[in-house]
Amino acid sequence: MNIAKNLLLGAALSLLAAGSALAQETALKIGFVNLEALTVESPQGRAANERISEMFAPRQREINAKQTRLGELSGNYERDRETMGTEQLRNAEREILALRREIQQEAQAFEEDLQLEQNNSQRDLGAVFLSHVRQVAEENEYDLVFSGGVVYFGDAVNITPQVLGALQETYSSEQQD
């Protein structure tokens, strides 16, 4: 087993060395783009986040109002339970339990719907970002552009500002149309 691991490690190191030598001979132009930064900083990303926030704000307010109501009911129950009759206690407990369940169900549905909408938005933004990354890479003659799984990148290879500029230009022109 160790022999196989050593052989694989040796092969990987050989490929890495050969790739490094090739990169030095051909002077590859390599770039990196931070897609998370584009999502946060681009006008398209901000617009998508605002749209989602506005879409889900009424449901969030409704859940918050029910949570406030639950707090009031629980407080009243705790304060008055010594003076309540058996029937009043049961009714109050049922009302609290029913409201608690309702809030849990609505909160779970809210989270699922929000996650779905965010995933759809990320997918749509990803397509827009990819086209702009390609545009910047082609215009600047990059041979290779990374976006994820990178442990370190320096400013010299970071093309995120260029892609962000292209996204801002596109957004501005779309807003003028």
Side-chain angles (χ1 to χ4, degrees):
M1 190 64 143
N2 278 340
I3 294 172
K5 283 184 183 178
N6 287 338
L7 287 174
L8 284 175
L9 181 60
L13 289 174
S14 296
L15 286 173
L16 185 61
S20 176
L22 179 63
Q24 289 175 359
E25 288 176 18
T26 60
L28 291 176
K29 189 170 181 183
I30 298 174
F32 172 81
V33 64
N34 185 338
L35 294 177
E36 186 176 323
L38 294 179
T39 301
V40 173
E41 297 175 22
S42 72
Q44 293 88 338
R46 286 193 302 268
N49 287 334
E50 287 175 24
R51 181 186 59 78
I52 291 171
S53 292
E54 289 173 10
M55 180 187 300
F56 285 90
R59 285 176 66 184
Q60 183 66 58
R61 283 192 298 272
E62 185 178 317
I63 291 170
N64 290 345
K66 287 182 179 183
Q67 288 173 332
T68 300
R69 175 71 179 135
L70 178 62
E72 292 169 357
L73 288 174
S74 296
N76 291 343
Y77 174 80
E78 289 299 320
R79 185 188 67 228
D80 298 336
R81 74 178 179 183
E82 298 297 325
T83 60
M84 289 179 160
T86 306
E87 189 65 28
Q88 286 178 313
L89 280 172
R90 266 190 249 147
N91 288 340
E93 289 168 352
R94 284 185 188 133
E95 186 177 5
I96 290 170
L97 185 60
L99 186 55
R100 190 174 289 141
R101 283 183 188 147
E102 184 179 336
I103 291 169
Q104 287 173 344
Q105 290 171 351
E106 287 182 15
Q108 181 178 354
F110 175 85
E111 288 298 323
E112 290 171 358
D113 292 347
L114 177 62
Q115 187 66 44
L116 180 65
E117 191 62 36
Q118 288 173 332
N119 290 344
N120 290 337
S121 178
Q122 279 300 113
R123 185 191 64 238
D124 295 344
L125 283 173
V128 171
F129 294 165
L130 182 60
S131 70
H132 284 79
V133 169
R134 282 186 179 146
Q135 173 191 345
V136 168
E138 289 171 1
E139 288 174 0
N140 294 286
E141 299 179 354
Y142 280 89
D143 297 304
L144 182 64
V145 176
F146 291 98
S147 68
V150 176
V151 177
Y152 172 80
F153 63 91
D155 289 338
V157 297
N158 188 6
I159 66 169
T160 305
Q162 293 163 297
V163 175
L164 186 57
L167 285 164
Q168 289 169 337
E169 286 178 23
T170 299
Y171 188 80
S172 295
S173 67
E174 288 173 353
Q175 295 304 307
Q176 292 175 357
D177 290 341

